Amino acid sequence: MGLLDNFERGLERAVNGAFAKTFRSSVQPLEITSALRRELDTKAAVVSRDRILVPNELLVRLSPADHEAMASVGPALIDELTQLTQRHATAQGYQFAGPLRVQLREDEALSVGILAVDSRNVQGDVKWRPFVDVDGTRHAITGQRTVIGRGSDADITVQDTGTSRKHVEILWDGQRAQARDLGSTNGSKLNGAPLSKAALQPDSVIEIGRTRIVFRVLPQSATPDPFDGPDVRGGSW
């Protein structure tokens, strides 16, 4: 079950700005999801009978306190927000000019409980790149072979005495991934089953010792980040 799946069950509602200012209630992930959907709906442009174009770069601006709270959830929140935004676009028949990207940014001009969304269309090719989330920390898979274990000579080192120095490896050929236990003392599990060697699907979970590793393949854009530069306060960049 995804982090935001329960938001999909007919409970969606937005807290308006006046309420937030009065009670200073913090922004919730549900409100971010709603705001992203509204942004797509508002900016949807009918290009032809079969093509409705919506922005693919979405920047959510939050007060410092709200941004800190969202950042504490880790990269899983961005993954969920991106997936739910993509799901909404698919359901509405929307199309993107390039890879969909959702970002969160701190804005000192905003009060607690208030959020704003900036968006734009950025053309670009989608490149799918592999990552692993190890106990909430994201690591890029940069080579064909990535070794994970307790030893300092592993590509990704975990602080877990229940793991071997070189415990498990992830192989990536540019399109497909494979996981293999490296003869570890305590063994490995893939999605709850003992792992020797197996194909690795996106969002699969590898367990070594007490460490949980989530394998992800995420879209990346080769185009410059349109939100880079000075603080973004408004809708122009």
Side-chain angles (χ1 to χ4, degrees), residues 62-192:
L62 302 162
S63 71
D66 285 328
H67 182 269
E68 182 179 1
M70 294 299 109
S72 68
V73 179
L77 176 61
I78 294 295
D79 294 342
E80 292 283 358
L81 292 172
T82 302
Q83 291 173 18
L84 289 175
T85 304
Q86 177 69 65
R87 191 182 306 169
H88 178 68
T90 300
Q92 299 300 318
Y94 297 154
Q95 296 181 40
F96 299 107
L100 173 63
R101 297 180 64 194
V102 176
Q103 300 177 64
L104 305 182
R105 182 160 295 177
E106 178 180 319
D107 188 339
E108 295 180 354
L110 296 178
S111 303
V112 173
I114 304 297
L115 65 85
V117 178
D118 299 321
S119 65
R120 67 182 296 178
N121 282 304
V122 178
Q123 293 185 347
D125 296 328
V126 178
K127 292 185 178 181
W128 295 89
R129 295 180 179 173
F131 298 83
V132 288
D133 291 339
V134 182
D135 286 341
T137 300
R138 176 155 296 173
H139 303 267
I141 301 295
T142 57
Q144 294 183 336
R145 180 175 186 261
T146 300
V147 175
I148 304 173
R150 180 169 48 86
S152 58
D153 52 347
D155 298 303
I156 299 175
T157 302
V158 297
Q159 303 299 320
D160 185 343
T161 57
T163 64
S164 298
R165 295 184 60 82
K166 293 186 176 181
H167 197 111
V168 69
E169 69 176 3
I170 294 176
L171 306 175
W172 172 254
D173 66 2
Q175 293 183 318
R176 295 173 297 274
Q178 190 175 75
R180 183 168 73 94
D181 184 88
L182 297 175
S184 63
T185 301
N186 296 325
S188 306
K189 291 183 178 180
L190 176 61
N191 297 325

Side-chain angles (χ1 to χ4, degrees), residues 11-89:
L11 301 179
E12 186 171 350
R13 62 184 183 277
V15 177
N16 63 39
F19 179 92
K21 286 181 178 177
T22 300
F23 295 97
R24 301 187 63 82
S25 59
S26 60
V27 168
Q28 299 299 313
L30 168 59
E31 296 170 59
I32 299 177
T33 306
S34 300
L36 291 171
R37 290 171 172 169
R38 287 196 301 273
E39 185 70 11
L40 294 191
D41 294 341
T42 301
K43 298 292 181 65
V46 179
V47 179
S48 66
R49 185 177 62 180
D50 302 319
R51 184 171 173 79
I52 304 175
L53 194 64
V54 292
N56 61 306
E57 299 275 1
L58 298 151
L59 174 68
V60 180
R61 293 184 285 118
L62 302 162
S63 71
D66 285 328
H67 182 269
E68 182 179 1
M70 294 299 109
S72 68
V73 179
L77 176 61
I78 294 295
D79 294 342
E80 292 283 358
L81 292 172
T82 302
Q83 291 173 18
L84 289 175
T85 304
Q86 177 69 65
R87 191 182 306 169
H88 178 68

Side-chain angles (χ1 to χ4, degrees), residues 188-205:
S188 306
K189 291 183 178 180
L190 176 61
N191 297 325
L195 168 66
S196 175
K197 183 178 182 180
L200 192 58
Q201 300 299 324
D203 299 323
S204 294
V205 178

